[in-house]
Amino acid sequence: MATNRFQYALVDGNNFYVSCERVFNPHLEGRPIVVLSNNDGCAVARSDEAKALGIPMGAPHFQIRDLLKQHGGLALSSNYALYSDMSRRMMSVIAEYSPEHEVYSIDESFLRFTGFQHWNLTEQGIRVRRQVRQWTGIPVGVGIGPTKTLAKLANRLAKRHPDFKAMGVCNLQDLEPWHQIAYFTDMDVQDVWGVGPRWAAKLHEMGIHSAQDLKLADPETLRKRFNVVLERTIRELNGTPCIPLEEAPQPKQQIVSSRSFGQLLTDKRDLMEAVSTYAARAAAKLRKGGQAAGGIQVFLSTNSFRPDDPQYHPSTLINFTTPSDDTARLIGAALKGVNKIFKPAYRYKKAGVMLVDLVSNTARQGDLFGTTTEPQLERRGRLLGVLDTLNVQMGCGTLRFAAEGTAQAWRMRRDTLTPGYTTDWEGLMVAKC
DNA sequence: TCTGGGGTCCTAGGACCC
DNA sequence: TCTGGGGTCCTAGGACCC
């Protein structure tokens, strides 16, 4: 492989949520552990032992409960407050290794090395891995290559291939060309970043089975049969960077807040409470990003896993005359939406809101026909600021609007939630002598 | 009984304008 | 006998990601 000016490293946590739990509870080591999605629905993270039992990603909890029990395993409710905090700690360690750093997801980040030609990046990979482990307790894998797609691919080898697993680092630069071809030929095309199940099936039909096949495919032809995204993937596999490093988070284009309910709902008041809560949560996210929404979409849904039940999946969009970040206004619009689409006699499983047409709060258009004056907006902003601060400091939902309800019969299930070890004074560990 | 949530980008096709 | 064409904007749907 020719030496590029840049090299990318992808550092990501192994079985991240499970690893976060294990940091604080050593009894979880060596056992099949899964972390469940919201509402304790299905497995979203699995320990190696759980994977070895054949538990697939997304397996419904009720289908794997017995298997886990038989093997001394455990299913935990997800503790996102804990995982976000652990993520922040992990990222701050990783960021020390290059001035060019992108946080790609809760457990993954890219580093770019520019002008590090004389460094041994494999050594750097080993160091970052050791340091993250030592400082946060999280095991990570490191993949290094001349593009993001290749770094992802190398990371997969680092975590899964016996040749690299012990070291936990795979640097494509270290491999002889024939050796690289062997690894690429060994990898199914669906395991390439950017190729999902649909495209993989179509590619297999065309005789493109492995990462190596895709690398050698004609980008122009595949662009016509698929789209420009796949063309970029092919070019990236060949060492041409097409996907930029995004060091600053991009402003959001939409904000979604939705949840399945702990039980099926039929009462309109329950739905109104739930939707109000989601609208409030979305509004808080909106203000955190310094944005305002031009509209809000509300949706309800029955349980589509029960095809014999009457199905109903309505949605409606309410546009504002001027963009807003005011919880009260968003809740008001959301409730209007519920009124519009709610029909009795259905059993609802899920509801949500989506904020759309987001604009930066600094560049907001004034309300030509509105009655709200600047000082009123100003006071309103201060009030919402206090609400946000309190909810961050004292916990989400400490201060809320009456429309969100108090009993909240529809709240999600979290039967096996672990303590907020690093995010809640009550969850702090106690050392006993 | 029990099946997640939150995002992005691309494309095709229709509406509309001149 | 004869009925344009090009550009832009918007939306829905489909694919992908974690």
Side-chain angles (χ1 to χ4, degrees):
Chain A
M1 170 102 24
T3 310
N4 279 47
R5 203 154 70 81
F6 308 131
Q7 288 290 322
Y8 293 85
L10 176 69
V11 186
D12 79 336
N14 301 348
N15 318 327
F16 185 64
Y17 298 165
V18 171
S19 297
C20 289
E21 298 287 352
R22 281 180 168 171
V23 168
F24 298 96
N25 184 356
H27 297 303
L28 304 179
E29 292 290 346
R31 300 163 61 190
I33 304 296
V34 306
V35 173
L36 300 170
S37 62
N38 278 320
N39 218 21
D40 292 348
C42 48
V44 290
R46 304 156 294 153
S47 70
D48 287 345
E49 298 80 3
K51 288 175 190 170
L53 288 181
I55 295 174
M57 183 71 174
H61 182 206
F62 69 92
Q63 284 176 8
I64 56 174
R65 200 177 337 223
D66 292 344
L67 184 65
L68 277 173
K69 210 169 174 182
Q70 275 167 31
H71 292 84
L74 212 55
L76 302 171
S77 300
S78 41
N79 186 343
Y80 281 102
L82 177 67
Y83 311 150
S84 313
D85 187 61
M86 292 300 287
S87 170
R88 192 180 50 76
R89 291 162 195 250
M90 180 174 101
M91 297 305 176
S92 71
V93 176
I94 297 169
E96 293 297 316
Y97 281 77
S98 170
E100 300 175 279
H101 178 225
E102 171 186 344
V103 175
Y104 177 67
S105 75
I106 193 163
D107 72 328
E108 283 176 86
S109 67
F110 286 102
L111 293 169
R112 187 165 70 178
F113 298 101
T114 309
F116 282 65
Q117 285 88 340
H118 305 296
W119 287 52
N120 182 335
L121 293 181
T122 311
E123 284 295 321
Q124 291 296 301
I126 293 169
R127 279 184 53 196
V128 70
R129 188 163 178 266
R130 197 165 50 215
Q131 198 180 350
V132 172
R133 182 69 196 236
Q134 193 180 350
W135 289 18
T136 69
I138 302 287
V140 297
V142 182
I144 300 165
T147 64
K148 281 176 142 185
T149 303
L150 286 168
K152 275 285 245 187
L153 192 150
N155 179 278
R156 193 180 166 86
L157 291 173
K159 294 215 300 196
R160 307 223 181 179
H161 202 286
D163 293 358
F164 304 96
K165 213 171 168 182
M167 184 163 68
V169 177
C170 170
N171 182 354
L172 295 181
Q173 282 177 304
D174 295 344
L175 305 178
E176 297 295 332
W178 65 270
H179 215 169
Q180 204 179 108
I181 291 172
Y183 289 121
F184 280 44
T185 306
D186 216 30
M187 186 180 292
D188 192 288
V189 71
Q190 204 196 303
D191 296 330
V192 174
W193 189 41
V195 179
R198 299 299 175 98
W199 286 3
K202 200 167 155 188
L203 286 166
H204 278 295
E205 271 174 36
M206 295 168 67
I208 297 171
H209 302 290
S210 67
Q212 182 66 15
D213 292 341
L214 186 62
K215 181 181 172 181
L216 297 179
D218 176 41
E220 297 287 335
T221 310
L222 290 204
R223 179 187 183 142
K224 282 183 199 124
R225 305 228 5 209
F226 295 80
N227 64 22
V228 69
V229 176
L230 190 61
E231 181 190 5
R232 282 203 280 261
T233 298
I234 296 171
R235 297 197 187 281
E236 285 240 327
L237 282 176
N238 285 282
T240 307
C242 305
I243 306 172
L245 192 76
E246 286 172 3
E247 297 177 69
Q250 301 300 302
K252 283 193 184 4
Q253 304 188 14
Q254 58 181 45
I255 291 172
V256 177
S257 177
S258 73
R259 286 285 182 282
S260 300
F261 308 126
Q263 57 200 74
L264 295 172
L265 298 185
T266 51
D267 188 340
K268 188 171 172 186
R269 281 170 306 179
D270 283 337
L271 283 169
M272 292 176 88
E273 271 186 24
V275 167
S276 299
T277 303
Y278 305 151
R281 192 181 295 150
K285 277 192 218 169
L286 192 63
R287 290 191 293 271
K288 195 174 170 200
Q291 292 178 296
I296 182 169
Q297 188 165 355
V298 183
F299 55 91
L300 307 176
S301 178
T302 50
N303 188 352
S304 45
F305 285 100
R306 299 173 66 160
D308 294 341
D309 283 9
Q311 294 291 316
Y312 183 46
H313 308 276
S315 80
T316 182
L317 173 65
I318 288 120
N319 282 307
F320 302 132
T321 47
T322 56
S324 176
D325 66 355
D326 188 330
T327 302
R329 196 155 160 215
L330 296 178
I331 288 179
L335 291 179
K336 214 166 98 185
V338 174
N339 271 317
K340 205 156 124 193
I341 57 181
F342 175 83
K343 283 191 198 165
Y346 285 101
R347 287 143 57 83
Y348 295 92
K349 176 63 182 169
K350 183 177 177 174
V353 302
M354 186 191 296
L355 305 182
V356 296
D357 296 335
L358 304 191
V359 295
S360 161
N361 232 341
T362 52
R364 262 163 82 181
Q365 182 149 18
D367 184 356
L368 191 56
F369 307 105
T371 49
T372 323
T373 63
E374 278 300 321
Q376 278 172 326
L377 270 177
E378 173 93 30
R379 282 180 50 205
R380 201 68 206 167
R382 281 210 304 273
L383 176 65
L384 292 165
V386 170
L387 178 91
D388 290 338
T389 310
L390 270 173
N391 282 336
V392 166
Q393 285 177 2
M394 315 282 291
C396 191
T398 300
L399 196 59
R400 54 178 189 256
F401 283 73
E404 299 175 52
T406 50
Q408 304 194 326
W410 40 270
R411 278 178 85 88
M412 65 179 180
R413 265 214 316 265
R414 297 171 95 181
D415 291 341
T416 49
L417 182 63
T418 52
Y421 299 107
T422 65
T423 59
D424 178 3
W425 288 112
E426 299 295 319
L428 209 59
M429 299 207 107
V430 178
K432 288 186 184 146
C433 304

